[in-house]
């Protein structure tokens, strides 16, 4: 194709490939969801439907991008882990971040009515996105452990905070009451004051959501001769397992392969 005299401007576009042989984590986070969750009457501390909508969007992202091995979500955030050897879009950071973020945001709007049939969407949900490279399996596991530990810390705090608020304390009083308190104190407060056994709260609230592909093989017909062939199932599923524990990784060695 003939080049125009304007073509030189293309040179200003810089390459932004992510490091080879590293795990790529794309993390999204809802912009201003403190306000968004109030505007849309999310139940506090945890709106189950809002979490299920986030999970639905994550499933769509894994279906759109086969190079994603695992995703972890909590609150208004989701982390997607691309395989360390994937070559998708030349591992260009801006391509990956923008495609994953817009895939997620578009699906959030698309599937909103199914999760909130009687709550109209009153403003446009938007998400930020970033890419981070992790050079070893060990550090990647620590990244995911960090997010799941965060889920627990936030959930425990928020459960106490909203129990105090629902019992008549102001938000400032509830905040002051919890300032500097430890895990053991918070568990005791929940149980003795409000009769809540932390360990019995729904596992999705305590552990967040883990999205993976099943390893189950499925039989498909060969495109040319119609013979039966075994394929990786690849069915995308959401669980709420403990991913800090070694046991998870021992039963799913395929994820880090
Ligand atoms: P930023 O734009 O900096 O991310 P933010 O207001 O989104 O600001 P976050 O730190 O991301 O702040 O916190 C997310 C907020 O959204 C929290 O206030 C949390 O309570 C609320 N939120 C997200 N998901 C839910 C949910 N499922 N149920 C109830 N509240 C939720
Ligand atoms: P990629 O994912 O690489 O961007 P693409 O199919 O989106 O692939 P583009 O080079 O971005 O390719 O071209 C956009 C395509 O969308 C073209 O084929 C163009 O004809 C079509 N398209 C976009 N907007 C319109 C429109 N308003 N009317 C008709 N066709 C459109
Ligand atoms: Mg934030
Ligand atoms: Mg946010
Ligand atoms: Mg957040
Ligand atoms: Mg295009």
């Amino acid at each position: 194709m003939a080049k125009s005299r304007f073509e030189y401007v293309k040179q200003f576009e810089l390459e932004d490939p992510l490091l080879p042989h590293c795990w790529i984590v794309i993390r999204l986070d809802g912009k201003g969801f403190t306000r968004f969750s109030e505007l849309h009457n999310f139940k506090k501390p945890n709106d189950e439907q809002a979490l299920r909508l986030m999970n639905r969007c994550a499933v769509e992202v894994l279906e759109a991008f086969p190079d994603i091995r695992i995703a972890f979500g909590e609150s208004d955030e989701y982390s997607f882990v691309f395989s360390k050897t994937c070559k998708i879009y030349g591992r260009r950071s801006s391509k990956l971040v923008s495609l994953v973020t817009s895939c997620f945001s578009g699906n959030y709007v698309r599937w909103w009515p199914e999760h909130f049939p009687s709550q109209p969407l009153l403003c446009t949900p938007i998400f930020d996105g970033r890419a981070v490279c992790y050079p070893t399996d060990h550090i990647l596991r620590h990244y995911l452990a960090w997010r799941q530990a965060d889920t627990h810390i936030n959930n425990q705090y928020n459960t106490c905070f909203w129990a105090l608020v629902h019992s008549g304390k102001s938000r400032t009083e509830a905040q002051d009451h919890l300032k500097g308190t430890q895990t053991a104190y918070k568990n005791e407060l929940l149980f003795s004051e409000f009769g809540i056994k932390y360990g019995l709260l729904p596992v999705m609230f305590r552990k967040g959501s883990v999205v993976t592909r099943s390893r189950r093989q499925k039989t498909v017909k060969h495109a040319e001769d119609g013979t039966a062939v075994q394929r990786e199932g690849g069915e995308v599923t959401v669980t709420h397992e403990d991913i800090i524990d070694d046991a998870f990784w021992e039963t799913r060695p395929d994820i880090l392969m």
Side-chain angles (χ1 to χ4, degrees):
M1 208 188 281
K3 290 191 172 182
S4 77
R5 67 192 168 89
F6 307 120
E7 194 78 14
Y8 78 96
V9 299
K10 186 79 184 148
Q11 297 168 27
F12 286 76
E13 282 186 26
L14 301 177
E15 295 289 324
D16 61 349
L18 293 161
L19 278 176
H21 297 283
C22 288
W23 295 103
I24 298 171
V25 174
I26 310 267
R27 182 169 78 251
L28 318 179
D29 186 284
K31 180 175 186 296
F33 264 50
T34 304
R35 169 94 188 93
F36 183 92
S37 62
E38 281 168 15
L39 183 64
H40 294 92
N41 300 305
F42 283 15
K43 291 195 186 74
K44 294 289 180 178
N46 289 290
D47 189 286
E48 187 182 332
Q49 279 310 312
L51 293 173
R52 294 201 183 287
L53 173 56
M54 293 289 289
N55 294 347
R56 177 63 200 258
C57 297
V59 168
E60 295 278 357
V61 171
L62 263 84
E63 280 170 355
F65 299 94
D67 289 307
I68 298 173
R69 292 290 182 80
I70 184 170
F72 178 77
E74 58 155 324
S75 181
D76 67 339
E77 71 166 65
Y78 241 102
S79 299
F80 296 93
V81 181
F82 282 77
S83 97
K84 52 187 170 187
T85 53
C86 79
K87 302 278 188 292
I88 182 176
Y89 298 109
R91 299 171 73 88
R92 285 154 63 197
S93 178
S94 54
K95 269 273 188 191
L96 288 175
V97 171
S98 59
L99 284 170
V100 170
T101 308
S102 62
C103 180
F104 194 95
S105 308
N107 276 294
Y108 197 94
V109 174
R110 180 178 175 196
W111 297 110
W112 175 272
E114 206 161 277
H115 293 78
F116 290 94
S118 52
Q119 170 62 63
L121 186 55
L122 300 171
C123 64
T124 309
I126 57 178
F127 293 82
D128 68 44
R130 71 196 67 185
V132 183
C133 284
Y134 291 102
T136 65
D137 297 0
H138 182 75
I139 300 176
L140 175 71
R141 275 190 53 182
H142 279 184
Y143 170 80
L144 292 165
W146 173 52
R147 296 326 299 146
Q148 192 166 51
D150 186 73
T151 308
H152 164 70
I153 293 165
N154 288 335
N155 184 56
Q156 200 190 34
Y157 180 90
N158 290 334
T159 305
C160 289
F161 178 85
W162 287 102
L164 290 166
V165 170
H166 292 145
S167 76
K169 284 207 164 28
S170 74
R171 291 187 185 199
T172 319
E173 284 166 346
Q175 211 174 343
D176 289 344
H177 188 114
L178 294 172
K179 201 174 279 171
T181 60
Q182 301 296 309
T183 284
Y185 174 81
K186 291 197 196 76
N187 267 341
E188 182 53 28
L189 173 79
L190 285 176
F191 187 63
S192 58
E193 296 275 325
F194 305 109
I196 298 171
K197 282 190 180 154
Y198 185 80
L200 296 183
L201 292 176
V203 65
M204 178 164 66
F205 301 170
R206 291 183 289 112
K207 303 269 181 195
S209 297
V210 180
V211 192
T212 53
R213 295 173 206 285
S214 73
R215 281 167 303 171
R216 201 165 352 118
Q217 300 238 313
K218 66 176 171 218
T219 309
V220 293
K221 280 200 171 132
H222 192 277
E224 276 151 32
D225 55 21
T227 55
V229 284
Q230 293 297 113
R231 268 277 166 69
E232 280 300 316
E235 196 187 326
V236 177
T237 51
V238 181
T239 65
H240 312 287
E241 286 160 277
D242 190 312
I243 55 173
I244 299 176
D245 219 50
D246 288 342
F248 173 81
W249 301 95
E250 282 159 8
T251 54
R252 292 299 308 267
D254 55 302
I255 294 173
L256 296 182
M257 236 151 49

